[in-house]
């Protein structure tokens, strides 16, 4: 929630996790956004989603993964 966080920072965070990167790309390419061209880069996806939403999705996925680890799964 740092106002100094840039789209590049969020891009670097998402890019470290292939599963998360795939989910972000799947989301941004969904019918919800109705884009005429397929988004193939995390950088472009972050710009479209907005850095706050992309960072939130990253944190949510990390928390979900951590919860699965703690549950032994």
């Amino acid at each position: 929630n740092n106002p100094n966080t840039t789209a590049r920072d969020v891009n670097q965070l998402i890019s470290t996790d292939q599963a998360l990167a795939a989910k972000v790309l799947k989301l941004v390419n969904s019918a919800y956004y109705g884009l005429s061209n397929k988004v193939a880069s995390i950088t472009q996806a972050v710009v479209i989603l907005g850095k706050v939403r992309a960072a939130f999705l990253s944190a949510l996925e990390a928390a979900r993964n951590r919860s699965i680890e703690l549950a032994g799964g």
Side-chain angles (χ1 to χ4, degrees):
N1 201 13
N2 182 346
N4 297 321
T5 300
T6 65
R8 185 177 186 188
D9 296 331
V10 177
N11 173 33
Q12 289 176 336
L13 173 68
I14 293 170
S15 294
T16 62
D17 183 332
Q18 288 182 348
L20 178 58
K23 287 179 183 182
V24 167
L25 289 173
K26 183 177 180 180
L27 173 66
V28 79
N29 285 305
S30 71
Y32 179 81
Y33 287 93
L35 302 174
S36 58
N37 295 321
K38 185 173 181 174
V39 175
S41 77
I42 296 301
T43 302
Q44 188 178 10
V46 168
V47 170
I48 292 167
L49 291 172
K51 67 180 184 183
V52 172
R53 182 175 290 162
F56 173 76
L57 292 170
S58 300
L60 188 62
E61 182 67 16
R64 187 180 82 71
N65 289 340
R66 181 71 178 139
S67 130
I68 290 170
E69 286 175 15
L70 292 174

